[in-house]
Amino acid sequence: MDREQFLRLQEMCREIRYLMVDAVGRLGVGHFGGSLSIVETLAVLYGRHMNVDPENPKMPGRDRLVLSKGHAGPALYATLAVRGFFDRESLFTLNRPHTKFPSHVDMNLTPGVDMTAGSLGQGFSCAVGVAIGSKMKNDGATVYAIIGDGESNEGLIWEAAMFAAHRKLDNLIALTDYNKMQLDGEISEVCGLEPLVDKWRAFGWEVFESPGHDLATIDEAIESAKSVAGRPSMIILHTLKGKGVDFFEKNWRNNHNVVITAEQHREFLRELEGDHV
């Protein structure tokens, strides 16, 4: 990645964060923490790697993203808006009656969303199915799936992981948002995942690790994963829940339906103003 590309992705992150916080803030309630932690991942995917066409969201052979941690939908919606899939102003209907942007992603409502998700673990299983379908069609698509670390407590994740390795799905790249927090507390206290790298390797996956907010290393990890043959790849991203907004970074209880006031909304936007053009 050259400097110009890096700066473009950096600006994309700024825009995604601002739009996402503004949309959820106007509603006054939503999933801030787990949305903010995947912004850099989404920017690198949609800004560098994914073969998609905002003018033709159903383009045959396109790359797919399955956001298995579907409650982070606001971050994906903001990303798709920045990429031009729909008007940015439409984001402000988030989770309101007749919206195209529900709190959890829905492929039947939102242009650019490739799979409905929200029931933890199920989106990842769907991603495995999509990757199998792509192999059968030989359409050349790469399937990406973002899963949560709390979601990784679900047995369904590991059943799907085992089957993906069995089918040698080298067109499947999964990414774990390892922010170390979930609804009920710290991952290590609720149900620890370590040694997470060894677990995925034991299930037959190629495994990479990356700081989850470093654009260059995320990009390098994805490039490496794309070159793997004969097995699926997992990228474990060490992230910070609520990244970019001080209030959320310092409060692990920022996962589920955080209620904020109008003044807090304005405060968060002021905090982000310095990063937003």
Side-chain angles (χ1 to χ4, degrees):
M1 183 193 309
D2 61 29
R3 178 169 175 76
E4 182 179 347
Q5 292 168 329
F6 176 82
L7 292 175
R8 180 173 56 82
L9 288 181
Q10 199 172 50
E11 176 59 21
M12 188 174 179
C13 290
R14 295 183 183 119
E15 292 183 296
I16 293 168
R17 274 202 171 84
Y18 192 93
L19 284 171
M20 190 232 106
V21 170
D22 196 11
V24 180
R26 291 181 188 221
L27 184 64
V29 61
H31 296 279
F32 283 96
S35 294
L36 288 166
S37 60
I38 63 169
V39 169
E40 281 77 13
T41 301
L42 290 170
V44 174
L45 285 173
Y46 281 92
R48 281 276 290 168
H49 290 280
M50 290 184 65
N51 175 29
V52 294
D53 182 0
E55 299 297 323
N56 184 15
K58 300 293 187 182
M59 177 180 70
R62 69 190 183 281
D63 292 338
R64 271 84 160 186
L65 173 72
V66 178
L67 185 62
S68 191
K69 47 171 287 178
H71 56 276
L76 178 56
Y77 302 150
T79 304
L80 293 172
V82 170
R83 282 287 277 114
F85 280 82
F86 38 77
D87 186 86
R88 298 184 185 201
E89 290 293 318
S90 64
L91 288 177
F92 302 136
T93 67
L94 177 71
N95 213 26
R96 300 178 190 273
H98 311 297
T99 186
K100 293 181 179 179
F101 310 103
S103 61
H104 293 67
V105 293
D106 188 329
M107 64 186 295
N108 296 309
L109 292 177
T110 313
V113 171
D114 292 310
M115 181 55 62
T116 302
S119 296
L120 296 182
Q122 293 187 7
F124 186 55
S125 291
C126 292
V128 173
V130 172
I132 291 172
S134 177
K135 283 279 192 182
M136 293 173 68
K137 291 179 180 178
N138 195 29
D139 62 7
T142 300
V143 180
Y144 298 92
I146 299 177
I147 66 175
D149 47 8
E151 180 181 26
S152 297
N153 290 159
E154 301 283 348
L156 189 55
I157 292 289
W158 301 100
E159 293 175 38
M162 182 168 55
F163 190 61
H166 173 73
R167 294 295 295 262
K168 298 180 173 57
L169 298 180
D170 50 13
N171 63 334
L172 175 62
I173 299 174
L175 307 100
T176 296
D177 177 25
Y178 200 13
N179 57 47
K180 319 300 191 299
M181 303 287 183
Q182 63 185 90
L183 177 61
D184 296 319
E186 296 184 11
I187 295 291
S188 60
E189 295 178 354
V190 177
C191 186
L193 295 174
E194 293 298 335
L196 189 56
V197 169
D198 293 341
K199 284 185 171 72
W200 282 99
R201 285 179 177 154
F203 272 74
W205 288 57
E206 192 75 25
V207 184
F208 304 90
E209 285 187 274
S210 171
H213 303 295
D214 186 308
L215 294 168
T217 55
I218 295 170
D219 179 60
E220 290 170 5
I222 294 172
E223 284 285 5
S224 296
K226 287 165 69 174
S227 68
V228 172
R231 62 173 61 193
S233 293
M234 166 57 72
I235 302 172
I236 297 173
L237 299 164
H238 295 276
T239 60
L240 179 62
K241 200 155 199 172
K243 174 68 175 176
V245 178
D246 188 64
F247 174 84
F248 296 118
E249 287 186 11
K250 292 179 178 177
N251 178 14
W252 68 260
R253 294 185 182 275
N254 59 22
N255 177 60
H256 178 67
N257 285 349
V258 177
V259 179
I260 67 168
T261 66
E263 176 53 36
Q264 285 176 314
H265 174 213
R266 290 190 291 270
E267 178 185 335
F268 300 156
L269 293 182
R270 284 194 296 268
E271 183 179 344
L272 292 168
E273 281 288 348
D275 290 331
H276 180 70
V277 177

